Amino acid sequence: MPKSAKILVVDDESAVLEIIRKILVDRGYIVDVASNGLEALKFLEKSRYDLVLSDVKMPEIDGLELLQQIGLLYPDLTTVMLSAFATIRDAVAAIKLGAFDYIAKPVYPEDLLYSIERALKFNELRQATQELEWTLKGAEALGLQVLELAPEADEFQILESIRQEAKQIEDLNQLSEIFLQGAQKITMASRGSIFLFDQEGIHLKCTARSDNQNYDIDLKSIRPGEGVMGYVLQTGRPLLVADVALEPRFYHHQKRKRYATNSFVVAPIIGEKSWGVINLADRCDLKEFSPRELFLVWLLARIFAENLQHREYEAKSRSIDALLKSSRAELIDVRECFDHLSTPVSMGLAVVDQNLKICYLNPTFVRLCDRRKSRVGSEIFSFMKGLSSSDHKRLQQCFERIFQGEKAIDCGRIAMAHAEHGNSICLAQLMRFDSPALGQQIMIVLEDITEISQMQQRLALYEHLAIMGKLSTCVVHELNNPLDGVKRYISLAQLKKDSSEDVARYLSEAQKGLQKMSLAISSILNVANPNRILKTQDTLLSQLREAVKILLLQTKEQRVEIVLSTAPIFEEISFGTDLYTVFVNLIKNAIQAMSEGGKVEIIGQERKDDLEIHFKDNGPGIDPKNLENIFKPFFTTKSEGQGLGLGLAICQKIVARYHGHISLQSVLGQGSDFIVRLPLPDEFHAKAPKDRFARVTH
């Protein structure tokens, strides 16, 4: 842990304060002391702390009440409680209110320092997890294009070589071995395993393991989310545990005895579906795994999923080819084969030529397209007239890929509107084959999953109702705590009504409690709306507002003011919502640069040919020697484990998708200005720039 961590100690006994302060200062920590809860809140208003160490029994505001206020106003602040009258009841109450640990007095220096170091370590891991989460969101927006960020990086070269080598391997166990060896190489892990689902998607089979002790897992006997692998498969997110002793969800002392360290990494192998997991443990140097290594394993798992998906497409394509050939060995004309196969098949089948003209249709395909009869010779898209514009475009792109040489493509879900009975939902696939008589042709396969989709929707609704039932039990707790604080502050204001200064302060605290309740209610309403559609595009102003909104709690904690002002065109022009990730990263970086408070100005301007968005902060600025490296992958000025150094590189890559650019202007001691430039779409070029601004201040 960095020795410059800042700690606030709260206790009404001056002797205890002095002893604890001396112990911590001697260890190198920066320490402030407060004699009661009210004084502690004043300290928290003026400065930012890494940890609060508080007594439980104090006058005016006791430790548990202070803990409530910290949870309300500074939710990311780590707290440790101590008391001379320790009881299990008080300890449980403190932990429920968010305390990391509870220490009984008299306090021994070794116990105190150990607890504080664990709490600060937990805080560091939590911050690293938040950083990594945003990096992964940005990387997901790019897909495997993220490998282009740093082609010279040794780890990325290893990943690319594995990607190419895997294309030549047929045996699944051998393929798993290659990916496991690659994962161990890029992470220095001495132990590892890969588990893949069987064809039914129920059993997890160990396909590779470093100690060669293969075994299988039956997920029927495991509750959803149970254990580490169950948790990762349920959330679909990679998991980094730097120290399992700090993770009570997964810590089982007896089970961990065979491991040399308490750190491990688990990454889901997920593409269009969940394939399995990669497990890694025990670095060769016995150090803990870092966020960078988790990111690399996550990338490796994405490459593995890509390979498995391709293998599945190839297998389906081969089965169709075999079916066509086995129907009649001497068959030359596809028509006979198709007529022989189409009637008993429950899937919709159609064959089109290179001009997308229909050659053959089976009755199921006609029914799924809501047609009365076959129309051989017509263009396929005119026959599938119920397609939405987005599905129409996606199928066109799939046909283009087929014509460019791909053998089989899974087009995903498509919906076709029916005049009488609503929509039908189908899984669409394209498969290319060559007919000696008719040349290159493409088979379209539609699998009707309308009923399955409806059942999934009903199941999702039932699950949602179950979640809402559990959520309702939490609502009382989430609202009751700040409501209790509001009532207390209003009561205090009534008692001190002759002192305008005290009344103003108490009402201000009550207002903060009401804001917390408002945020809780908004969150509940968002959860309560299961049919909310996530947009693939949104206006720039909306994306900027959402980015500001999600960081409001962090700005309050660090006393940072955000001012957002944009030209009117920002309410009209839309871009992909992956820009939201860019905006969050830039705002978050600006906030983190001002640990003692400051101001972030977000200014959106319209210029002649492009849009310009400034993210200005009045922080310490960036050292000139670092300016040329700031956008390079894996370069970071943060302490080890606090950042991957990929955030800005990913932001630049996302903006480049829209033919835009990010630049930086910074003066040491005066702040930084990140500038995002995005080209104006053609339809906006004719409009004259406007000088008016829509101003929103947070």
Side-chain angles (χ1 to χ4, degrees), residues 358-370:
I358 298 174
C359 301
Y360 316 104
L361 292 166
N362 76 339
T364 306
F365 196 97
V366 175
R367 177 180 59 79
L368 291 174
C369 293
D370 198 28

Side-chain angles (χ1 to χ4, degrees), residues 586 613-615 622 631 648 662-664 672-676:
L586 294 178
I613 311 171
H614 291 259
F615 296 83
I622 298 172
F631 289 103
L648 289 175
I662 302 180
S663 60
L664 168 64
S672 302
D673 182 9
F674 282 89
I675 305 167
V676 177

Side-chain angles (χ1 to χ4, degrees), residues 128-419:
T129 301
Q130 292 172 348
E131 290 281 337
L132 182 63
E133 186 66 25
W134 282 111
T135 301
L136 289 178
K137 286 183 179 179
E140 283 176 343
L142 291 175
L144 291 179
Q145 291 180 44
V146 75
L147 284 173
E148 302 169 13
L149 285 175
E152 73 284 355
D154 292 341
E155 296 94 338
F156 279 18
Q157 290 178 7
I158 293 172
L159 292 175
E160 185 59 36
S161 65
I162 293 172
R163 188 181 187 184
Q164 298 303 324
E165 183 182 0
K167 293 179 181 179
Q168 314 301 322
I169 297 172
E170 295 293 333
D171 182 71
L172 186 60
N173 289 332
Q174 186 182 354
L175 183 71
S176 299
E177 285 289 345
I178 287 176
F179 275 94
L180 179 57
Q181 291 170 10
Q184 291 183 259
K185 187 174 182 180
I186 59 179
T187 62
M188 296 178 61
S190 62
R191 304 171 69 99
S193 61
I194 291 180
F195 286 81
L196 297 180
F197 281 110
D198 59 11
Q199 291 184 347
E200 289 76 26
I202 296 174
H203 302 276
L204 276 173
K205 180 179 178 61
C206 182
T207 55
R209 191 174 178 87
S210 58
D211 55 13
N212 296 319
Q213 296 179 4
N214 293 348
Y215 59 89
D216 304 338
I217 293 177
D218 183 358
L219 284 193
K220 287 181 178 178
S221 63
I222 300 178
R223 293 190 299 272
E226 184 179 38
V228 177
M229 286 199 293
Y231 174 84
V232 169
L233 288 169
Q234 184 183 47
T235 61
R237 307 299 297 169
L239 174 69
L240 166 64
V241 175
D243 185 352
V244 75
L246 298 179
E247 283 280 358
R249 294 174 298 175
F250 310 122
Y251 183 64
H252 297 287
H253 178 68
Q254 297 299 326
K255 293 184 179 180
R256 294 294 305 175
K257 278 186 176 179
R258 58 196 180 98
Y259 292 94
T261 71
N262 278 342
S263 182
F264 59 85
V265 165
V266 184
I269 305 170
I270 291 182
E272 294 181 6
K273 68 178 185 180
S274 179
W275 296 93
V277 292
I278 299 176
N279 305 290
L280 297 166
D282 289 352
R283 276 180 55 120
C284 297
D285 57 6
L286 300 183
K287 292 182 179 179
E288 63 189 37
F289 291 100
S290 69
R292 173 170 175 165
E293 287 152 356
L294 178 64
F295 177 78
L296 293 170
V297 176
W298 174 80
L299 263 181
L300 182 79
R302 294 292 295 267
I303 295 171
F304 199 0
E306 175 194 59
N307 183 277
L308 293 171
Q309 189 69 57
H310 181 73
R311 287 163 60 94
E312 186 176 82
Y313 291 159
E314 288 289 329
K316 288 182 179 179
S317 177
R318 285 194 297 269
S319 65
I320 291 292
D321 286 345
L323 191 61
L324 289 171
K325 291 176 182 178
S326 65
S327 178
R328 187 177 174 187
E330 68 277 10
L331 187 64
I332 295 178
D333 194 338
V334 180
R335 181 184 296 106
E336 296 180 36
C337 177
F338 192 85
D339 289 343
H340 177 74
L341 294 172
S342 63
T343 303
V345 172
S346 60
M347 293 185 292
L349 301 176
V351 176
V352 298
D353 60 21
Q354 293 183 348
N355 297 316
L356 299 185
K357 301 293 185 182
I358 298 174
C359 301
Y360 316 104
L361 292 166
N362 76 339
T364 306
F365 196 97
V366 175
R367 177 180 59 79
L368 291 174
C369 293
D370 198 28
R371 293 288 191 168
R372 301 297 180 189
K373 60 181 181 178
S374 171
R375 291 177 60 183
V376 173
S378 63
E379 200 263 346
I380 185 63
F381 286 113
S382 66
F383 188 78
M384 300 171 70
K385 66 177 184 178
L387 282 174
S388 66
S389 58
S390 59
D391 287 342
H392 184 285
K393 183 178 180 180
R394 181 150 47 88
L395 275 179
Q396 278 186 321
Q397 293 170 344
C398 291
F399 274 114
E400 290 172 4
R401 288 167 56 189
I402 286 286
F403 290 135
Q404 290 171 3
E406 292 192 45
K407 185 123 183 175
I409 297 176
D410 192 332
C411 306
R413 292 188 176 202
I414 63 171
M416 286 185 288
H418 288 189

Side-chain angles (χ1 to χ4, degrees), residues 53-184:
L53 178 65
S54 175
D55 189 18
V56 172
K57 304 297 182 182
M58 295 185 296
E60 296 192 55
I61 292 182
D62 67 20
L64 295 182
E65 288 183 89
L66 175 62
L67 188 56
Q68 278 187 323
Q69 293 300 316
I70 290 174
L72 180 67
L73 303 173
Y74 312 102
D76 291 331
L77 183 56
T78 305
T79 55
V80 173
M81 308 302 292
L82 49 91
S83 176
F85 307 98
T87 65
I88 293 177
R89 182 178 179 182
D90 283 344
V92 170
I95 298 301
K96 282 185 175 181
L97 289 172
F100 174 79
D101 202 355
Y102 190 95
I103 306 172
K105 292 181 180 179
V107 178
Y108 296 98
E110 296 81 5
D111 294 341
L112 175 66
L113 292 172
Y114 175 71
S115 182
I116 286 176
E117 286 169 4
R118 288 181 70 248
L120 291 172
K121 181 66 175 178
F122 172 78
N123 194 37
E124 181 185 286
L125 295 176
R126 181 172 58 186
Q127 292 174 3
T129 301
Q130 292 172 348
E131 290 281 337
L132 182 63
E133 186 66 25
W134 282 111
T135 301
L136 289 178
K137 286 183 179 179
E140 283 176 343
L142 291 175
L144 291 179
Q145 291 180 44
V146 75
L147 284 173
E148 302 169 13
L149 285 175
E152 73 284 355
D154 292 341
E155 296 94 338
F156 279 18
Q157 290 178 7
I158 293 172
L159 292 175
E160 185 59 36
S161 65
I162 293 172
R163 188 181 187 184
Q164 298 303 324
E165 183 182 0
K167 293 179 181 179
Q168 314 301 322
I169 297 172
E170 295 293 333
D171 182 71
L172 186 60
N173 289 332
Q174 186 182 354
L175 183 71
S176 299
E177 285 289 345
I178 287 176
F179 275 94
L180 179 57
Q181 291 170 10
Q184 291 183 259

Side-chain angles (χ1 to χ4, degrees), residues 648-665:
L648 289 175
I650 288 175
C651 288
Q652 191 175 58
K653 187 78 174 178
I654 292 175
V655 172
R657 277 185 166 182
Y658 301 98
H659 308 288
H661 179 67
I662 302 180
S663 60
L664 168 64
Q665 296 175 359

Side-chain angles (χ1 to χ4, degrees), residues 520-572:
I521 291 170
S522 297
S523 300
I524 293 164
L525 289 176
N526 287 334
V527 175
N529 184 9
N531 297 319
R532 182 167 58 93
I533 298 173
L534 298 176
K535 300 178 181 178
T536 56
Q537 285 210 336
D538 205 350
T539 66
L540 284 176
L541 181 58
S542 177
Q543 294 190 57
L544 284 167
R545 282 174 171 166
E546 287 298 317
V548 171
K549 182 179 177 182
I550 200 170
L551 294 168
L552 278 182
L553 282 176
Q554 189 172 345
T555 60
K556 289 179 180 178
E557 180 187 346
Q558 296 187 210
R559 293 162 294 282
V560 173
E561 177 191 6
I562 296 185
V563 177
L564 170 63
S565 56
T566 64
I569 192 174
F570 279 67
E571 287 191 89
E572 305 171 29

